[in-house]
Amino acid sequence: MHTTTIPWYRQRWPWLLMLPPLTAVIGGVVTIVLAVRSNDGVVAADYYKRGLAINAELSRSKRAAELGLAAEVQAGGENAGDGVYVRVSSSGQGVPPEAALRIRLVHPGRSGADRVAILSRVSAAADGTAAEYRGAWDEAVELHAPVAWRVVLEGREWRLDGGIAAGEARGFRLASGR
């Protein structure tokens, strides 16, 4: 009777038993590398100031509702230099006499891809219920796909905002939430 013993490292069972712990160690190392290399960016250093700014924005939106403001926006496109026309009207106390407005198309995922235009007043209704503004988009990052923008139209003391679907940036309407 002659038995040959095979060394442990040539047998299948020790390797199969070591596979789950080895997989857990490799997964842990990958998790640690990802955690160290990536930045969550969840908590801002100036979170209190941002909270106060949100309250100010809400009060400006409330002011637009008190004034009964609405805006019709026409744009030649979303790229730098494309013209923007805005007609602001009021169903309430009239449109505040602003020499300039700012309109922003806010990208939902990339802050560097936002579009901004400073609009100058070109005409106003005699009774103060409407005013027209024109301008053009500033420099902007080129996008390769249609975007569902968040739109913000701002005066000194009021603000209109809303969202538009992809491809609607050429013409849309904003209204204050009354």
Side-chain angles (χ1 to χ4, degrees), residues 64-80:
E66 290 169 357
L67 294 170
L69 295 179
E72 294 175 24
V73 180
Q74 296 292 324
E78 303 169 5
N79 299 317

Side-chain angles (χ1 to χ4, degrees), residues 23-176:
T23 305
V25 168
I26 292 171
V29 168
V30 168
T31 301
I32 289 171
V33 168
L34 289 175
V36 169
R37 286 189 181 175
S38 64
N39 179 12
D40 292 342
V42 176
V43 178
D46 60 346
Y47 66 92
Y48 185 73
K49 287 182 182 179
R50 288 186 185 194
L52 293 176
I54 289 171
N55 289 337
E57 288 177 9
L58 291 175
S59 67
R60 291 172 65 200
S61 294
K62 185 177 177 182
R63 178 69 178 143
E66 290 169 357
L67 294 170
L69 295 179
E72 294 175 24
V73 180
Q74 296 292 324
E78 303 169 5
N79 299 317
D82 289 341
V84 183
Y85 165 81
V86 175
R87 182 175 191 278
V88 180
S89 58
S90 172
S91 62
Q93 303 171 12
V95 176
E98 310 251 2
L101 300 179
R102 182 171 81 154
I103 187 168
R104 293 183 294 147
L105 294 181
V106 180
H107 191 282
R110 294 175 48 197
S111 62
D114 295 352
R115 309 294 196 248
V116 178
I118 303 300
L119 308 172
S120 299
R121 186 172 60 198
V122 292
S123 68
D127 60 357
T129 59
E132 296 177 354
Y133 297 84
R134 289 192 189 278
W137 298 118
D138 290 343
E139 275 191 45
V141 175
E142 184 179 338
L143 300 174
H144 302 289
V147 175
W149 298 100
R150 185 172 151 256
V151 182
V152 180
L153 179 65
E154 300 173 302
R156 275 181 277 134
E157 60 182 42
W158 57 270
R159 162 194 161 116
L160 291 174
D161 59 349
I164 56 172
E168 285 185 14
R170 292 187 184 264
F172 54 92
R173 181 171 170 78
L174 295 173
S176 56

